[in-house]
Amino acid sequence: MASTSDNASYTLDLLGLEFIDTEPSARSEAPMLLDEDEEETFHDCDEIPQDPILNISFLPEQDSATTGESSVAPVETFPLADLWGLESNDLATTPEQTLPLDLEQTFNGIKEARPLDLDMLMIDSHATSTQVGEPAIANGARDVEELSDDSETQLDQADANPKQKASKSKLEDRNAFDKWRQRHATNFVDEEIKMRARAERGGPGEHLTVDDLIRSGQPRIIGDPREYQLELFERAKNQNIIAVLDTGSGKTLIAVLLLRYILDQELEDRAMGKKPRVAFFLVDSVALVFQQWRVLKDNLDQSIERFCGEMGTDHWAKVTWQQHLKNHMVIVCTAEILNQCLMRSFIRIDQINLLIFDEAHHAKKNHPYARIIKDYYIAEVDSSKRPKVFGMTASPVDVRSNFTHAAKELEAMLHCQIATTADLALLRHSVSRPNEHVAIYPRMYAPGQTILCQEMEHRFGDMDIFSKTFRNAVHATTELGAWCADQVWSMAMSERAALKFERKLEKRAFKEQNSKPVEMIDAQLSQLREAQAFVQNWPSMEPKIDPGCMSPKVRVLRDYLSMIFERPTDSRCIVFVHQRHTARLLGDLFLRLGLPNLHLGTLIGTSSGNPGELEVSFRQQMEVIHKFRKGQLNCLFATSVAEEGLDIPECNLVIRFDLYTTLIQYIQSRGRARHVNSKYVHMVEEGNPIHMQAVRDVHKGEDVLRLFCEALPADRLLQGHDANLEDALVKEKLLRNFVDSSSGAKLTYNSCLVVLSHFVSCLPENPSPPDFVMRAEHGQYTCEVVLPPYCPVHAATGRPYSKKSIAKRSAAFEACLRLREGGHLDENFLPTHHHRHLPAMRNAHLAMSLHKSSSYDMKVKPKVWEESRGSLPPSLFMTVLTLQDPDKLGRESQPIVLLTRTQMPDFPPVFLHLQVDRTSQLILHTLGGSVPTPRETLSRLNAFTLRVYKDVFNKKFEVNEAAMSYWFAPVVKHFQYTPGMRCSHDLIDWATVNYVYENEAWVWSTDRSDEELEDRYLVDRWDGSRRFWSIKVRPDLRPQDRVPAGAAPAKHMNTILDYTVSLFSKSRKTVVWLPDQPVIYAHRILHRLNWLDDFLEKDKRAKTDAYVCPEPLLFSALPASVAAMAYIVPSAISRVESYLIALETCNLLGLSVHPHLALEAITKDSDNTSEHRQEQIHLQRGMGKNYERLEFIGDCFLKMATSISVFCIKPHENEFEYHVRRMLLICNQNLFNVAIKRKLFEYVRSVGFSRRTWYPEGIKLLEGKGFTKTGAEVYKHQLGDKTIADVCEAMIGAALLSHNSNGNMDMAVKAVTAMVGSPDHDVSQWADYYKLYKLPPYQVAEASAVQRNLAMQIKEKFGYSFKYPRLLMSAFVHPSLASFAGIPCYQRLEFLGDSLLDMACVNFIFHRHPDRDPQWLTEHKMALVSNKFLAALSVKLGLHKHIRFSSPAIEAQNREYVQEVEEAERESIGARDYWTTTKNPPKCLSDVVESYLGAIFVDSEFDYSEIERFFDNHIRWFFEDLSIYDTFANHHPV
């Protein structure tokens, strides 16, 4: 029986390859290579050390002639360096190396094939350290630059003198290493600096977009073309060709040359007035879109764009494509994109001047390449309107037999001739091919199972969902080893993978719910969780380099990679495998093995989402390629996705861990090795004839391809291609197609599935995909497609066909026709509902700037004053002003009555600052009825009022009773208000009024007693700012005495008399004063008019003691008690006028609002009122509360009211449309527009108390500051746009709070209608909402037993009895179910319930915390309405148990969260905030709380008290103490 080595040598003889005998039985155990200190022990060894890589004996020189028989047959000596093209002196080891060369190269069995010159390399599990294209550096090293280019000569010299002394070798090695180290020290330091700089800047690719990753490389400017490229370019100019050239030979350059030629022609054609045409460069993968676009971008000077499906091109309308076609002359895209554009008639084939097919061998069957030709290229009968076609491929066909027939089919399909260079020798000289090696690994183990796999099969072998995992594990045991096999289970039972298994089980259970009981499904899920726990608890181990852990194949790969990457290197390696999980397992394995300079990555395509598979996005794949190109990664484990188009010039090693299965795979994977000195390694199992046959087949096929191309006549004509395609198209012609007459868009059996799928995906209700139901009748199949419930076409049935695939397409074709006939697909077969333009203002609330402001007119006086002036009033109305705490004024006071021409409303109290740290409320009592005012009475009241203005405020007005807006009068001192009090003549202190009417002043004379001088109101005749309260006479002081210390400052402070007189020096000389008049101790009155605000700091420190003489001063006729109260008049009038203006705002809007809330709603007290907790800019003190809190609650009511309205008006709209309609109503821009239209800006109070504006209008000022002004003054103020919108919301809040004590929200509803100005909210009271609501059919339909049972459970749990159980069921139907027994999903009810719950929560927090600012309220409201809390509430109330869905993922997420939150509650020991400790929950759990509230609201005929009852019973308890949620609130910025 022949030995294994005999069989292998015979097989390799056929290939013309050398064989290295590495049969394990013939080898001694190989020790590790020894350091120089250990080398001395060789002399005493019984066994001769052997090179573990090549089975080469290490023969010490002194023993070489006397060594006895070895276990290795005598062989010819051969330097190890020959394998890598190195000098023998560059090796780390000194003994001679031997290589068996006793096998004769033959060429037998492949008559046409050329002999292969491949090095044979057998790698064992212990490898030396040698890099591809670099010298080995171990005990001694040599710079690469020292190596001779003439490697053959050096090898011959090495063979001639193979033996050297060990000591001499050591010395030379040390010297060489020292030289190398010195010469590279600077380089290493520089490189380290560069690496650190890159690290500080952040690794490339970490935050780059896909475009950035593509652009990050150097521009690839193509230089001078080679002769064969010019040859093919010239042929491509004249006819359609498929350029067949080896990978790396520059096919793209030919395409660039052809594009330049076509673009030049296109520019000439456009200059002549011809219609513009565009060139398309078509590729088969997204990665190639960006790669080829980059090449064209770098080499063409015209506009180039690239498109792929990830850019959302499916949703682009024709106008978008037309713009792109207009702006760009070349488009790089995946073929399917152009196929879709042609199908939809976004572009016609005659608008294309050039079609370039990259990897043209894909043009077969229903590939988009083939569909473009068959459906559109051939359909253009005028060949002059067809575009030029240029194909590129390394191998035009991929078949094992009938090469010529397959090649002709490709030519016919693309209407091209296959063409290659006439001089293939020139091509081989120009294109660098890798040196090919065969690595033979020992025979693999028989298929088996690890202990873990055996246990899993024993425990869970009956679970068919693990069938693929079992297969993968068995495959890994054989191919990769035990460690990788166990890793298969670890990956499959990870958290994410286990969830995928759960989804798979649940999805299957949902489809089979009628045949499988729930208990069986629960048992399977329980088994799944048990399996996950079993694997996770299985003892893990680190991989070991031994046969029990790694397969021979992996050990050989490991040794090969160790040899290459043991030291720093610029080498780049790609290891090709067949399956994704193999790449991932190898990546994990080698990562754990920790080869020092091996930086791994995986390139396996995007994830399919199967359990255990690595989920990879397109961007992540591009980032891997980017890092590989940059050298951050130097080894990729890749599947076939890396075979096509991955252009990495630096890649110099390709290893086929799993052999290719087709010629194209071989050619393309070999083409990845682009470096000049690159290598391509075939990994072949020892004695495996299939592997040997695969190597034979690809080389034979390549030579057949070469001979075929060489045999092509250069002058053959392109003819008959349309006819040649007839056979391929005959079956397709039997299938129907539809061409839209208006656009030319073409619907076929091949495109209808895409059109239908896209239409369904654009439906607004998160629809499920179409369901195809197949029926077999009389040997044919008929298919019915069932579309989602909200689709306008519910189902369509196709024609019968003998094949299921065609029957399915027929059904889809019928559905598309019906959608087009119904106007649901437009003339380009795009969904018409997807074209609907959203309102331009839908995001206006985001667009409005917080800081934009404009100047607006401002009202300073209420309209009521102006409307009643102009005549003498027959009667007046009384509003009495009294202090709640008069003692805090610091002196005796007397109430004052405000007499007005019209009845005043009931005013709220006004808060006043009477003295430092002394405050009181000013009470305004509006009395009923009126008092008659004859002319005489009015004259006396007028005189008193003008006297107050003159004496107290230094303003003298004309006497004109008809022009007066209001009057003042003193009230009797002992006035006591009683509810219901009416106006009375007797309430006025007529004695004081008459005295003032009859006397301009109280006259002082020398005969006045000292007592008469006390408690008088003194007025400086010349200085309007100086007023005094007289206290008592100081008999101890004389007018000529010096002013006592501590007196209030004055102009003159020499003597008391000087202190009293405020005249200027010149005037003082003309006046003579009595020298013996008394000195009065008095208090100077601060010139302070705004008592609404606290004292200024300077006023708090002001001195008020004064010493005056009576003669220079005016003793006012006003009693001191009356004058004291008169000082309150400016503040009182200012606030009264603000109240009146606020009420006018309400009248403008048709609202009845309490005055204090109305004023609060329009009060803006700073430039940045809405910026909570920020330092207020230009704060206006004393204005009272601003609109912030009212805006907070008004905004919430506005949201609720508009939500109810749009829900009622549009009962069949989807949730998205609800949101859009509501946003149009509540957005700041809409509120602003309505406010501007109604001129609400005039009523906003943005200015506090003003000394200039509190005086009455209508009468002329004769004396005092400002008397020279003429004409009416126009007042302006700056208001931000958002401020005006906020005021609208605040007014809604004011209307709500004015009447909400008894639950009446009618006025708030009316306010919303006034503010939004839209027919989408046109109601005036709460009851109108339900009148708008039309009960949908699903709600009133007869309820099933299941639905009635649900209503019964809810009644038992919550005490509410649903009249409409189907409505309740709708609250629990998840969108993933689309429709449940004709009941819509919960999204509409959730939309409604969300706003209702918001209102209940805001109402609670607003009234419970009356002094908190809006930001605090908003932050803490987040706790009440957060998804976290609502989900926890849903679990606590058991609402989650009723959810109906079809998504396994949702069920898994729900179950996981329920377990977590229930455990959190158990461990909380009664803490009310236990729910904050959980992770973020599935949204559906919180959604059903809101949808349930929406259902209650609708079922109760819009009874909001049911919402409040639910809140009080189930939510309030959690938030009695909101301080425990401070941290939660701070983590939710608003």
Side-chain angles (χ1 to χ4, degrees), residues 719-756:
Q719 59 185 2
H721 291 92
D722 286 357
N724 292 341
L725 272 180
E726 286 298 322
D727 292 340
L729 296 178
V730 64
K731 293 182 180 180
E732 293 192 11
K733 288 185 176 180
L734 297 177
L735 304 178
R736 292 177 297 160
N737 63 67
F738 169 76
V739 178
D740 190 280
S741 58
S742 60
S743 66
K746 184 177 182 180
L747 183 71
T748 67
Y749 269 36
N750 290 293
S751 61
C752 61
L753 287 172
V754 175
V755 172
L756 185 62

Side-chain angles (χ1 to χ4, degrees), residues 1070-1124:
T1070 62
V1071 182
V1072 178
W1073 308 104
L1074 295 173
D1076 296 329
Q1077 54 186 307
V1079 172
I1080 303 173
Y1081 170 61
H1083 282 171
R1084 180 174 177 178
I1085 302 173
L1086 295 177
H1087 189 60
R1088 178 171 166 265
L1089 301 182
N1090 183 13
W1091 291 38
L1092 299 169
D1093 187 21
D1094 199 358
F1095 282 71
L1096 299 176
E1097 287 301 320
K1098 66 174 185 176
D1099 291 338
K1100 292 180 180 180
R1101 298 189 301 267
K1103 298 177 180 179
T1104 59
D1105 288 347
Y1107 302 89
V1108 296
C1109 298
E1111 185 183 11
L1113 300 176
L1114 172 71
F1115 284 70
S1116 176
L1118 298 173
S1121 60
V1122 174

